[in-house]
Amino acid sequence: TSPSSPPPAPSSFAPAPHLSPSEWQSLLLSTPDAVLLDARNVYESAVGRFAVPSAPTILTNTRKYAGLPAVLDQAAEHLEGKTVFMYCTGGVRCERASQELQALVAGGEG
């Protein structure tokens, strides 16, 4: 986008593809630039999370979804050029977060 054009709306992007557990594990372990993004809320993340030695993890630690876009914006430099593996408990939060992340990346281009 140009400096004068507004950033793209997250809803203009399709959610990231869903992977089966075996696909997710296989791709995660074989992707050298992988980053884990725990898109769950702070209560869910406190129960436990994935730990992959070769992949740094970004914890969003939000209480409500409304706080997630700001967290993604703050994490953008750690996610730039990386393959992001996102997980959550219900799916909808990940779908919306993937759209927010795509909009963030597209808004930074140009």
Side-chain angles (χ1 to χ4, degrees):
T1 61
S2 69
S4 61
S5 64
S11 60
S12 66
F13 295 92
H18 292 230
L19 300 173
S20 71
S22 61
E23 289 172 318
W24 197 81
Q25 180 179 7
S26 176
L27 286 169
L28 175 61
L29 296 177
S30 65
T31 303
D33 66 346
V35 173
L36 283 168
L37 179 65
D38 183 347
R40 300 173 300 159
N41 66 43
V42 68
Y43 310 109
E44 295 164 334
S45 295
V47 172
R49 59 184 177 268
F50 292 102
V52 179
S54 62
T57 300
I58 295 175
L59 300 174
T60 57
N61 288 327
T62 58
R63 295 187 189 283
K64 296 181 181 179
Y65 180 83
L68 194 58
V71 172
L72 294 176
D73 189 45
Q74 292 171 355
E77 69 181 66
H78 301 290
L79 300 172
E80 187 175 343
K82 305 291 184 188
T83 302
V84 178
F85 289 83
M86 185 179 308
Y87 62 96
C88 56
T89 53
V92 173
R93 189 175 174 99
C94 276
E95 288 183 2
R96 290 184 57 199
S98 73
Q99 291 172 297
E100 290 282 350
L101 189 54
Q102 291 176 76
L104 180 66
V105 169
E109 294 175 352

